[in-house]
Amino acid sequence: SPGAPTESILDMCAAPGSKTAQLIEMLHADMNVPFPEGFVIANDIDNKRCYLLVHQAKRLNSPCIMVVNHDASSIPTLQIDNSGRKEVLFYDRILCDVPCSGDGTMRKNIDVWKKWTTQNSLQLHGLQLRIATRGVEQLAEGGRMVYSTCSLNPVENEAVIASLLEKSEGALELADVSSELPGLKWMPGITQWKVMLKDGQWFEAWKDVPSNRQTQIRPTMFPIKDEEKQKAMNLERCIRILPHHQNTGGFFVAVLIKKSPMPWNKRQSKLQRKLSQRTADISVSAAAAEDGAVEIVEEPPAAEDEETKESQHLLTVESEQSKKDGVCGPPPSKKMKLFGFKEDPFVFLSEDDPLFPPIQKFYALDPSFPKMNLLTRTQEGKKRQLYMVSKELRNVLLNNSERMKVINTGIKVWSRNSDGEQFGCAFRLAQEGIYTLYPFINARIINVCIEDVKVLLTQENPFLSKFSSETHKWVKDLAMGSIVLKYEPDPSKPDTLQCPVVLCGWHGKTSLRAFVPKNERLHYLRMMGVEVFKAKRKEEDFESKTEEGDQDNTKHMEEEMDMEHNELATKMEAEVDEEPIHELMESSVIEPENKMENVQPSSENAENRDIADLSSVKA
């Protein structure tokens, strides 16, 4: 649709992923578009929390999300291929939701009352400024970056924004978003504040700070003294959300628009064109330091170290060969220390892979199906799962495997089924990717009524006799194997479910079953108004009465729908595929989002939604 976002989006400090999920939702606002042009790259510094981020993002089943594991303050600059020419990837939208002291969460987080000191903000200020600086460096001209914290301390908020605006020399401006969220109560940003040490000592200006305290307090923590300069910054355009206004937590938001390249990048690029030798490169770095750009991680080629520059040609030759093979391995240990779980490579299917034609024929895939976007996670042995990414993320993967650590990307679309080959195809459909695949499938689709859907979701492997006569007609001449079960709403029956449902299923000799994870089953049943506990009891009663007559049915998978346990369990148990255990390691932990490691509070849903909205609103 015209209003659907087509931006490249970077979420710099993403875990555990509530805001990332909202960005993905907005990307897929039009469900008729299987591959939106935009994508979200979600980053977090904590390796373990990246897997929680993966788990959260997977619930939205998007082929347009990539989770990476880097320090946000030095996140690498990526490259993309544009008609055979390498270009730097600049993001249209960036969410910079930095680690903060969390004092805005004290209504829900008792730890804040116990542990809060002014020292927290003083220690975080430098990191917040570095992350925000790295963010605006990677922002496209005309793009927007949202800077936010769940703190109300100006040292973490206005001080960071003012410092960023000052060193941008006019390249950045604060956007006036006062009219973009009608109904939201907020206070304008402040222009005057003092800085306090842990012992309660206040300072009004940097000149008042004694030399023995100048490591704890920095000049950028104070308000700008030049009144004209301060007025031009428009700090009142920052948004302060106070807890008592609308029963929320405390929150700070600033929306920055990039009008031109950052001044240090402009200077660097001119020098780089003149100087190509290594010694000259070192001089450039020294010049950048003298210009006050010590903390700043420069754009490539300035970001490359000497050794990399020397071996760049060799690296390019090697990486080009691997790209021809469609293999995106993990980054070499020489350039980046791998920690946490070792990730498998991303291997794209080649043009002539013999795996694909039987799949294409069995499901009558449309000629427009982008088979080049299919990938696996193994270079050797049998391919067990097929995943899919959008063409934009394929571009990113193929051109950056040596410089970034990808934790996960893409969605599972097919799974190998050992019995499948006798039915014409070795791969069955996976529910995770069915909404992406469905627009391209032209065969093996069965239209089912609402009652059939209820049977499929409440009974494990029900006999064909339990389905409507229309469904019987559909499956009568259909070969056994993987199928698509489609429910289309009936507008003449407004009391029934009014949104379409697409399920993966299996057509057996005497039965139909749905291959749907338990948590999704529960979701669909709630949408249809089915009391799931009653449904479970009815199923148990029915099974006990017909136990003797159902001996033939016991050879099928009989998973009992344990709905009570489903409230706590989040593993996708109905999918018989064995996911890597590290993808689910933290799936049962609903981690509070008010810790200081790159996260913000989850209970402020209203504000979180607003922030994601602001980052996607076009200037």
Side-chain angles (χ1 to χ4, degrees), residues 77-89:
T77 301
L78 305 184
Q79 292 183 344
I80 50 172
D81 187 292
N82 186 2
S83 304
R85 198 174 79 251
K86 284 283 181 69
E87 289 183 0
V88 170
L89 172 60

Side-chain angles (χ1 to χ4, degrees), residues 221-362:
M221 295 176 184
F222 293 92
I224 304 294
K225 288 300 174 190
D226 186 320
E227 283 188 27
E228 272 189 43
K229 208 184 261 187
Q230 190 189 80
K231 194 175 179 183
M233 287 181 179
N234 296 309
L235 287 179
E236 70 282 353
R237 291 180 178 176
C238 297
I239 291 176
R240 290 179 151 262
I241 296 169
L242 305 184
H244 64 288
H245 279 165
Q246 49 219 331
N247 196 25
T248 64
F251 221 78
F252 176 87
V253 191
V255 183
L256 292 158
I257 298 173
K258 187 173 183 179
K259 300 170 75 176
S260 61
M262 304 311 289
W264 53 88
N265 293 142
K266 282 192 282 190
R267 286 196 293 270
Q268 283 292 93
S269 59
K270 285 175 186 172
L271 286 167
Q272 282 290 339
R273 282 195 290 270
K274 292 176 185 174
L275 307 169
S276 57
Q277 296 175 353
R278 185 193 304 181
T279 52
D281 290 337
I282 295 168
S283 303
V284 167
S285 301
E290 286 170 18
D291 282 342
V294 180
E295 296 181 329
I296 295 149
V297 182
E298 302 293 346
E299 303 283 8
E304 295 164 357
D305 56 37
E306 297 160 29
E307 188 179 348
T308 309
K309 278 185 173 295
E310 214 167 70
S311 60
Q312 188 62 45
H313 176 69
L314 183 64
L315 184 65
T316 305
V317 172
E318 289 173 359
S319 62
E320 284 302 324
Q321 182 57 46
S322 74
K323 280 164 206 161
K324 284 176 189 169
D325 301 333
V327 179
C328 309
S333 54
K334 189 175 184 180
K335 289 191 75 179
M336 182 185 298
K337 184 184 176 185
L338 292 179
F339 50 92
F341 296 103
K342 188 178 187 301
E343 288 300 323
D344 296 319
F346 296 86
V347 186
F348 285 90
L349 255 62
S350 60
E351 186 75 41
D352 55 352
D353 196 307
L355 215 64
F356 187 70
I359 296 174
Q360 187 166 29
K361 184 181 176 185
F362 191 70

